[in-house]
Amino acid sequence: MARQYYYPQSETTVLERARNYIFRKPVPDFPKTVVIETQFGCNGGCVFCQYPQLKDVLPRGRMTNDTFEKIAKECAGRDVERFILCLDNEPLLDPSLAEKFAILKKHCPEAVRNLTTNGSLLTPEKTESLIGTKLVNEVFLSINGHSKEIYEKIMALPYEKVMQNLESFCDWLRANSDIKKNLRVRVNTVKTTLVAPEIPSMTARWAAEGFEMHVIDLDNRGAQLDMQALRAEVMRPNTSCRRLFHSMVLTRDGCALLCCVDYKREVVLGNAHEQSIYEIWNGSLATQLRKEYLARDFRHLKICATCKNNNYDTVNAQL
């Protein structure tokens, strides 16, 4: 939550300084999570994602390994906690994905190297090349539905094929228990009225494999998402967010975005081809926007002012 953060030396009174010291934490001088879109493109069509609406608008392309390594080198020794190679993309569509994870392992070996995937391309060969080699040490599976009907209605992917891949993945983990015990696997599902009745079944199914279950609030992507398919959802203003203070989001062409929901690239903080990650994170624009957010001044933060989610207990009560 944004209220937990403050800028050192910004206090005007002793009381404010004490309050910050006790209840808040300073804005870090480097992002704790780095999100990198290694290529643009996804094979899914999730109703809660802008990708289906933007797939023919934004240019396609792939980040080169040279650019990726520049970013990794700049993150080395900076206490980055996690790298997530997913934004407007299904990571397993990138043929150079293993090379990129190897670059991260080389330069930032202590960080979590996260694979977030819809599972449609998670073949035994991909599992072996990414997880069997320990290039990936955390897997988030995007699964939205227990039944074929709900799953395909939400994700627009072939249910049987994905479930077959996931069964093979579970079999592989059982056969490689030494790797499984050190691998975090989490199932992510976005909270909607469509999937809510199936969450208990999903939880039981994946808990049996030792996987975590995580229900994510649906958000309207800063009013960038066409909510027609989700018009039954009750959305409320997202009044406090830590994304600006915690994560760096980089597109496949090196643009640093305000946050991961800015699919239309409305607020660009800099470009990794022209600046270092440190320079972008601590740049005048990024600093100004964070201070304005903390002051609840949204004149330059339209995407934040219009951001809404369904963070309420109606769905949770069904779990």
Side-chain angles (χ1 to χ4, degrees):
M1 295 177 63
R3 293 192 187 96
Q4 295 176 336
Y5 291 92
Y6 72 96
Y7 269 100
Q9 286 82 53
S10 64
E11 304 96 334
T12 57
T13 66
V14 173
L15 181 61
E16 186 177 8
R17 187 178 299 112
R19 181 193 61 186
N20 285 342
Y21 181 79
I22 297 171
F23 298 109
R24 300 181 178 181
K25 53 187 174 183
V27 176
D29 65 359
F30 207 83
K32 294 300 181 184
T33 294
V34 178
V35 177
I36 307 174
E37 175 191 72
T38 67
Q39 57 89 38
F40 178 81
C42 183
N43 59 346
C46 299
V47 297
F48 50 75
C49 178
Q50 294 119 300
Y51 177 75
Q53 300 165 27
L54 298 176
K55 63 182 181 180
D56 298 322
V57 177
L58 296 177
R60 295 178 180 271
R62 182 175 299 121
M63 180 179 287
T64 67
N65 283 1
D66 288 343
T67 298
F68 190 89
E69 186 155 26
K70 173 186 180 292
I71 294 167
K73 286 180 177 179
E74 291 171 0
C75 293
R78 291 287 190 175
D79 295 325
V80 175
E81 296 172 355
R82 175 176 281 103
F83 289 92
I84 302 175
L85 307 191
C86 182
L87 185 63
D88 293 327
N89 60 308
E90 164 51 48
L92 293 177
L93 285 169
D94 184 350
S96 64
L97 189 64
E99 297 170 23
K100 290 181 169 70
F101 274 119
I103 289 170
L104 289 179
K105 186 175 181 181
K106 174 184 176 181
H107 295 291
C108 305
E110 303 303 320
V112 171
R113 298 177 298 278
N114 174 284
L115 171 65
T116 294
T117 176
N118 59 37
S120 62
L121 301 173
L122 189 61
T123 61
E125 293 76 18
K126 292 285 179 65
T127 298
E128 187 62 48
S129 67
L130 294 171
I131 301 169
T133 57
K134 300 182 181 180
L135 294 178
V136 168
N137 53 17
E138 181 177 76
V139 177
F140 287 176
L141 300 169
S142 299
I143 307 174
N144 290 269
H146 186 68
S147 67
K148 173 181 171 68
E149 177 187 4
I150 294 300
Y151 177 88
E152 292 189 347
K153 187 173 185 179
I154 293 176
M155 300 194 69
L157 286 168
Y159 177 83
E160 288 86 358
K161 177 184 177 182
V162 175
M163 291 304 122
Q164 182 180 1
N165 284 349
L166 295 179
E167 288 293 345
S168 296
F169 177 59
C170 293
D171 289 343
W172 187 93
L173 289 176
R174 284 190 284 271
N176 293 271
S177 57
D178 57 324
I179 291 179
K180 181 179 181 179
K181 66 182 180 182
N182 295 313
L183 179 73
R184 181 188 184 197
V185 182
R186 189 175 88 179
V187 171
N188 288 341
T189 192
V190 176
K191 182 170 62 179
T192 63
T193 53
L194 283 172
V195 80
E198 299 198 345
I199 290 177
S201 298
M202 292 176 63
T203 302
R205 165 68 183 90
W206 299 114
E209 301 293 345
F211 299 171
E212 300 173 30
M213 184 72 192
H214 183 60
V215 182
I216 302 171
D217 294 332
L218 168 72
D219 64 56
N220 69 345
R221 316 287 178 160
Q224 293 184 8
L225 178 65
D226 182 349
M227 298 286 289
Q228 184 64 24
L230 300 163
R231 57 186 179 276
E233 302 296 329
V234 178
M235 308 295 286
R236 298 174 181 173
N238 184 6
T239 57
S240 186
C241 179
R242 74 169 187 166
R243 289 167 177 158
L244 286 72
F245 308 88
H246 187 269
S247 302
M248 168 74 77
V249 179
L250 297 164
T251 65
R252 59 94 189 165
D253 53 358
C255 288
L257 304 183
L258 180 70
C259 83
C260 59
V261 306
D262 189 6
Y263 281 63
K264 293 183 179 179
R265 284 61 166 152
E266 291 184 351
V267 182
V268 177
L269 304 176
N271 193 293
H273 290 290
E274 303 163 2
Q275 303 153 277
S276 70
I277 302 303
Y278 181 88
E279 289 170 340
I280 297 171
W281 183 259
N282 294 286
S284 58
L285 178 57
T287 300
Q288 172 194 333
L289 293 178
R290 287 192 203 103
K291 288 183 175 180
E292 289 179 357
Y293 188 95
L294 289 170
R296 297 294 184 264
D297 178 356
F298 297 117
R299 287 174 295 173
H300 303 114
L301 291 165
K302 178 183 176 183
I303 190 172
C304 299
T306 56
C307 190
K308 296 181 179 180
N309 63 26
N310 63 350
N311 183 8
Y312 57 93
D313 293 332
T314 304
V315 174
N316 290 330
Q318 302 183 49
L319 303 186

